[in-house]
Amino acid sequence: MDSPANPSPRRTMYFQPGIIRLLIEHPAEFERGQLLEAQQKLGLALPSNAQLLVEQIATFVHPSGKRQRRGNCQPRQSAFSVVPYRVPELAEYTLPNIRDLITIINRLNTQILEQKEATGDVLARIASPDWLSAPSPENTGGGGPGARPVPASIAPEFFTSEVDTAGAPFCFQAAALPDFQPRATTRAVDVAILDTAYPTDALIDAYNRFSAQHPVIRSLLEPDGAGGLKRLTVHTAAEIGITLPAPGEIKVERHNYPMNDHGLFVAGIVHSTAPTAQLHLYQVLNEYGVGSTQGIARTLQQIAQQQAAIPAEKRRPLVVNCSLMIVMPLPGQRKLDASENDDLVSWELFNKSEAELQPEDWYLLDQLCLDLDWACDALRDNGVLVIAAAGNDANNGSDVNGGGRPRARFPAAFSSVEGIGALEKNSTVMTGYSNQSDRPAYKGIATLGGNATVTLNSANEIIDSATVPGMGVLGAYIGAFPGDKPNGFPGTQDSDYPLLENTTGWAWWAGTSFASPAIAGSAAALIGHGLPPASAIAAIRAAQPELTSDTSEIFMITQS
């Protein structure tokens, strides 16, 4: 579908204004005061009025048996902390402020790189902005959740079914495991979901409204009688101790509609594929689907600390699902001829083609999200399986500069994370919107993500996308739906979609966001049958060796 006009120029944003994050390595035994005192002695050229955000510091301990990483990502101390600062005069979203912040960060990194061979108890590794995170990276000019959701319904004959009733339209079936019984588990498994989240009372209201005719809501959102839910625990941003971007401060282009249902939809997929698992939904994205790297780091720190506090013999296996992406662009994920409205137009590193990148550029690209990379390492080395959506940047399988299928986004591209790409419904064909599944591509897995239809402008850019009814993933959705805009035109970044009433609690939705929880749930079910986490993901990867996509292994999951 084509639109005769180009959309209005829009602001393209990548990180929170006025925030500088320092990645500092230090001995694990250091108290926070020791860390900050030693950091001051490094003499880093922070602005004189930079305010330390003490309560937002996130600290992780590297496992004692550190595995070898690429040389530029190898830890050099036993622990690391992400230390954030706010520069007050740069705290507003203006292009001059963003460019001043980039100048400060580049100056800090020049100083840090000059000292990168230094030795000592405390080492600075990188200065970075607080990159935004979203279930789609569209505010950077790429894909979206593969498409916006559309209303769905099921036949009355399935109203009283179970979530895993064979033949039901919402039931997920792994073709390689036709006789597998996900309920016949021998041990309890937890699944942590980092996403958007409704408050618990809103979920109980949805249970009261939809449960009689909705097997997923009836099972997943069953109240426990004490103000909570039996199978799902919501951890709000306030409970985690993080601050989310204010609603309306940043919106996701082509997906600028309330997106609290994203986390619920993901949770429903996990529950349907692993019905005995205990789910934890961590609110790291606001109601429009936007969060930040620092919020994710703090949440991963909390999860790691909770795991460490449980004696190993009593610790339950844990799977972490991240149906979100860090919007820091890798090569092919950002237009090289970006307009002056693009916040990175003044950052030379992000204005080079892949062929122009020098070794020192690749070094910086690896370092700028190294804290989350290491955080996922720490979880994985403690037996936690981390799974993430690869991203939806592709336009008919090509990147924004007309090259091949774009690379997987972070965190899917981290070496300790299993990256997941999307297949068309009940097919072995990669969707037109899906990124490569992982980094390198052959390491990834592709599964059901659903089909999307797109609207293009005269420059062949996607300006709208919607899930194809009957060809997306079918799941639980309790909010209003984003409807079509006048004449199908998506408008500007600040133009909201009209909202349509939801009468059924069901939606069709498409994206790598929904392929990821299908694998997370499948892995959790296998772990519940006694497989170690590494063996569970290996079994999924090896289940159908005869099937491969253009970028990854295939694990065929179908819905009727």
PDB file of all heavy atoms in Angstrom, residues 422-439:
ATOM      1  N   ALA A 422      11.757 -13.349  13.628  1.00  0.00           N
ATOM      2  CA  ALA A 422      10.344 -13.665  13.405  1.00  0.00           C
ATOM      3  C   ALA A 422      10.104 -14.309  12.048  1.00  0.00           C
ATOM      4  O   ALA A 422      10.627 -13.857  11.025  1.00  0.00           O
ATOM      5  CB  ALA A 422       9.504 -12.398  13.529  1.00  0.00           C
ATOM      6  N   LEU A 423       9.268 -15.350  12.062  1.00  0.00           N
ATOM      7  CA  LEU A 423       8.792 -16.010  10.846  1.00  0.00           C
ATOM      8  C   LEU A 423       7.356 -15.605  10.560  1.00  0.00           C
ATOM      9  O   LEU A 423       6.594 -15.261  11.477  1.00  0.00           O
ATOM     10  CB  LEU A 423       8.831 -17.537  11.008  1.00  0.00           C
ATOM     11  CG  LEU A 423      10.169 -18.204  11.294  1.00  0.00           C
ATOM     12  CD1 LEU A 423       9.957 -19.700  11.515  1.00  0.00           C
ATOM     13  CD2 LEU A 423      11.157 -17.957  10.165  1.00  0.00           C
ATOM     14  N   GLU A 424       6.990 -15.658   9.292  1.00  0.00           N
ATOM     15  CA  GLU A 424       5.587 -15.489   8.946  1.00  0.00           C
ATOM     16  C   GLU A 424       4.771 -16.621   9.556  1.00  0.00           C
ATOM     17  O   GLU A 424       5.302 -17.680   9.911  1.00  0.00           O
ATOM     18  CB  GLU A 424       5.417 -15.469   7.423  1.00  0.00           C
ATOM     19  CG  GLU A 424       6.060 -14.263   6.769  1.00  0.00           C
ATOM     20  CD  GLU A 424       5.838 -14.206   5.272  1.00  0.00           C
ATOM     21  OE1 GLU A 424       5.214 -15.164   4.719  1.00  0.00           O
ATOM     22  OE2 GLU A 424       6.270 -13.231   4.634  1.00  0.00           O
ATOM     23  N   LYS A 425       3.484 -16.408   9.690  1.00  0.00           N
ATOM     24  CA  LYS A 425       2.654 -17.374  10.401  1.00  0.00           C
ATOM     25  C   LYS A 425       2.658 -18.730   9.704  1.00  0.00           C
ATOM     26  O   LYS A 425       2.442 -18.839   8.495  1.00  0.00           O
ATOM     27  CB  LYS A 425       1.218 -16.869  10.539  1.00  0.00           C
ATOM     28  CG  LYS A 425       0.352 -17.788  11.393  1.00  0.00           C
ATOM     29  CD  LYS A 425      -0.777 -17.064  12.060  1.00  0.00           C
ATOM     30  CE  LYS A 425      -1.448 -17.964  13.091  1.00  0.00           C
ATOM     31  NZ  LYS A 425      -2.509 -17.276  13.827  1.00  0.00           N
ATOM     32  N   ASN A 426       2.937 -19.777  10.505  1.00  0.00           N
ATOM     33  CA  ASN A 426       2.921 -21.165  10.049  1.00  0.00           C
ATOM     34  C   ASN A 426       3.764 -21.347   8.785  1.00  0.00           C
ATOM     35  O   ASN A 426       3.377 -22.025   7.842  1.00  0.00           O
ATOM     36  CB  ASN A 426       1.484 -21.643   9.810  1.00  0.00           C
ATOM     37  CG  ASN A 426       0.628 -21.521  11.061  1.00  0.00           C
ATOM     38  OD1 ASN A 426       1.146 -21.424  12.174  1.00  0.00           O
ATOM     39  ND2 ASN A 426      -0.684 -21.523  10.898  1.00  0.00           N
ATOM     40  N   SER A 427       4.944 -20.724   8.792  1.00  0.00           N
ATOM     41  CA  SER A 427       5.816 -20.708   7.617  1.00  0.00           C
ATOM     42  C   SER A 427       7.267 -20.715   8.073  1.00  0.00           C
ATOM     43  O   SER A 427       7.580 -20.370   9.213  1.00  0.00           O
ATOM     44  CB  SER A 427       5.536 -19.447   6.788  1.00  0.00           C
ATOM     45  OG  SER A 427       6.526 -19.232   5.806  1.00  0.00           O
ATOM     46  N   THR A 428       8.158 -21.108   7.165  1.00  0.00           N
ATOM     47  CA  THR A 428       9.595 -21.034   7.439  1.00  0.00           C
ATOM     48  C   THR A 428      10.225 -19.789   6.816  1.00  0.00           C
ATOM     49  O   THR A 428      11.448 -19.659   6.781  1.00  0.00           O
ATOM     50  CB  THR A 428      10.317 -22.279   6.902  1.00  0.00           C
ATOM     51  OG1 THR A 428      10.109 -22.372   5.482  1.00  0.00           O
ATOM     52  CG2 THR A 428       9.805 -23.546   7.564  1.00  0.00           C
ATOM     53  N   VAL A 429       9.412 -18.859   6.350  1.00  0.00           N
ATOM     54  CA  VAL A 429       9.897 -17.636   5.697  1.00  0.00           C
ATOM     55  C   VAL A 429      10.046 -16.527   6.747  1.00  0.00           C
ATOM     56  O   VAL A 429       9.126 -16.258   7.516  1.00  0.00           O
ATOM     57  CB  VAL A 429       8.923 -17.191   4.590  1.00  0.00           C
ATOM     58  CG1 VAL A 429       9.378 -15.870   3.977  1.00  0.00           C
ATOM     59  CG2 VAL A 429       8.802 -18.277   3.530  1.00  0.00           C
ATOM     60  N   MET A 430      11.229 -15.903   6.774  1.00  0.00           N
ATOM     61  CA  MET A 430      11.430 -14.751   7.666  1.00  0.00           C
ATOM     62  C   MET A 430      10.503 -13.616   7.244  1.00  0.00           C
ATOM     63  O   MET A 430      10.297 -13.367   6.060  1.00  0.00           O
ATOM     64  CB  MET A 430      12.881 -14.275   7.609  1.00  0.00           C
ATOM     65  CG  MET A 430      13.888 -15.202   8.257  1.00  0.00           C
ATOM     66  SD  MET A 430      13.865 -15.166  10.067  1.00  0.00           S
ATOM     67  CE  MET A 430      14.771 -13.654  10.408  1.00  0.00           C
ATOM     68  N   THR A 431       9.959 -12.918   8.226  1.00  0.00           N
ATOM     69  CA  THR A 431       9.089 -11.781   7.918  1.00  0.00           C
ATOM     70  C   THR A 431       9.888 -10.644   7.290  1.00  0.00           C
ATOM     71  O   THR A 431      11.102 -10.539   7.462  1.00  0.00           O
ATOM     72  CB  THR A 431       8.416 -11.253   9.196  1.00  0.00           C
ATOM     73  OG1 THR A 431       9.426 -10.770  10.079  1.00  0.00           O
ATOM     74  CG2 THR A 431       7.605 -12.339   9.876  1.00  0.00           C
ATOM     75  N   GLY A 432       9.181  -9.791   6.575  1.00  0.00           N
ATOM     76  CA  GLY A 432       9.845  -8.647   5.959  1.00  0.00           C
ATOM     77  C   GLY A 432      10.388  -7.656   6.961  1.00  0.00           C
ATOM     78  O   GLY A 432      11.307  -6.899   6.649  1.00  0.00           O
ATOM     79  N   TYR A 433       9.841  -7.619   8.191  1.00  0.00           N
ATOM     80  CA  TYR A 433      10.265  -6.631   9.189  1.00  0.00           C
ATOM     81  C   TYR A 433      11.379  -7.124  10.095  1.00  0.00           C
ATOM     82  O   TYR A 433      12.040  -6.327  10.757  1.00  0.00           O
ATOM     83  CB  TYR A 433       9.071  -6.196  10.046  1.00  0.00           C
ATOM     84  CG  TYR A 433       8.362  -7.327  10.762  1.00  0.00           C
ATOM     85  CD1 TYR A 433       8.898  -7.911  11.911  1.00  0.00           C
ATOM     86  CD2 TYR A 433       7.142  -7.809  10.293  1.00  0.00           C
ATOM     87  CE1 TYR A 433       8.246  -8.945  12.567  1.00  0.00           C
ATOM     88  CE2 TYR A 433       6.486  -8.837  10.937  1.00  0.00           C
ATOM     89  CZ  TYR A 433       7.047  -9.405  12.072  1.00  0.00           C
ATOM     90  OH  TYR A 433       6.401 -10.447  12.707  1.00  0.00           O
ATOM     91  N   SER A 434      11.624  -8.432  10.171  1.00  0.00           N
ATOM     92  CA  SER A 434      12.536  -8.972  11.179  1.00  0.00           C
ATOM     93  C   SER A 434      13.995  -8.666  10.881  1.00  0.00           C
ATOM     94  O   SER A 434      14.462  -8.782   9.746  1.00  0.00           O
ATOM     95  CB  SER A 434      12.371 -10.487  11.289  1.00  0.00           C
ATOM     96  OG  SER A 434      13.258 -11.031  12.254  1.00  0.00           O
ATOM     97  N   ASN A 435      14.733  -8.303  11.918  1.00  0.00           N
ATOM     98  CA  ASN A 435      16.192  -8.224  11.830  1.00  0.00           C
ATOM     99  C   ASN A 435      16.775  -9.630  11.772  1.00  0.00           C
ATOM    100  O   ASN A 435      16.074 -10.632  11.970  1.00  0.00           O
ATOM    101  CB  ASN A 435      16.764  -7.517  13.063  1.00  0.00           C
ATOM    102  CG  ASN A 435      16.437  -6.035  13.107  1.00  0.00           C
ATOM    103  OD1 ASN A 435      15.426  -5.598  12.590  1.00  0.00           O
ATOM    104  ND2 ASN A 435      17.296  -5.270  13.751  1.00  0.00           N
ATOM    105  N   GLN A 436      18.076  -9.719  11.505  1.00  0.00           N
ATOM    106  CA  GLN A 436      18.772 -10.976  11.737  1.00  0.00           C
ATOM    107  C   GLN A 436      18.521 -11.391  13.181  1.00  0.00           C
ATOM    108  O   GLN A 436      18.358 -10.550  14.069  1.00  0.00           O
ATOM    109  CB  GLN A 436      20.268 -10.820  11.505  1.00  0.00           C
ATOM    110  CG  GLN A 436      20.660 -10.493  10.079  1.00  0.00           C
ATOM    111  CD  GLN A 436      22.169 -10.293   9.922  1.00  0.00           C
ATOM    112  OE1 GLN A 436      22.942 -10.648  10.803  1.00  0.00           O
ATOM    113  NE2 GLN A 436      22.569  -9.702   8.810  1.00  0.00           N
ATOM    114  N   SER A 437      18.491 -12.682  13.441  1.00  0.00           N
ATOM    115  CA  SER A 437      18.063 -13.155  14.758  1.00  0.00           C
ATOM    116  C   SER A 437      19.084 -12.883  15.854  1.00  0.00           C
ATOM    117  O   SER A 437      18.717 -12.704  17.019  1.00  0.00           O
ATOM    118  CB  SER A 437      17.754 -14.644  14.703  1.00  0.00           C
ATOM    119  OG  SER A 437      16.709 -14.893  13.795  1.00  0.00           O
ATOM    120  N   ASP A 438      20.366 -12.873  15.525  1.00  0.00           N
ATOM    121  CA  ASP A 438      21.387 -12.773  16.563  1.00  0.00           C
ATOM    122  C   ASP A 438      22.660 -12.251  15.916  1.00  0.00           C
ATOM    123  O   ASP A 438      22.700 -11.918  14.732  1.00  0.00           O
ATOM    124  CB  ASP A 438      21.622 -14.151  17.208  1.00  0.00           C
ATOM    125  CG  ASP A 438      22.077 -14.074  18.657  1.00  0.00           C
ATOM    126  OD1 ASP A 438      22.837 -13.146  18.985  1.00  0.00           O
ATOM    127  OD2 ASP A 438      21.687 -14.939  19.454  1.00  0.00           O
ATOM    128  N   ARG A 439      23.715 -12.173  16.703  1.00  0.00           N
ATOM    129  CA  ARG A 439      25.024 -11.743  16.215  1.00  0.00           C
ATOM    130  C   ARG A 439      26.066 -12.729  16.711  1.00  0.00           C
ATOM    131  O   ARG A 439      26.283 -12.808  17.923  1.00  0.00           O
ATOM    132  CB  ARG A 439      25.327 -10.338  16.740  1.00  0.00           C
ATOM    133  CG  ARG A 439      26.701  -9.796  16.370  1.00  0.00           C
ATOM    134  CD  ARG A 439      26.945  -8.500  17.132  1.00  0.00           C
ATOM    135  NE  ARG A 439      28.259  -7.943  16.850  1.00  0.00           N
ATOM    136  CZ  ARG A 439      28.826  -6.982  17.577  1.00  0.00           C
ATOM    137  NH1 ARG A 439      28.199  -6.499  18.646  1.00  0.00           N
ATOM    138  NH2 ARG A 439      30.013  -6.519  17.276  1.00  0.00           N
TER     139      ARG A 439
END
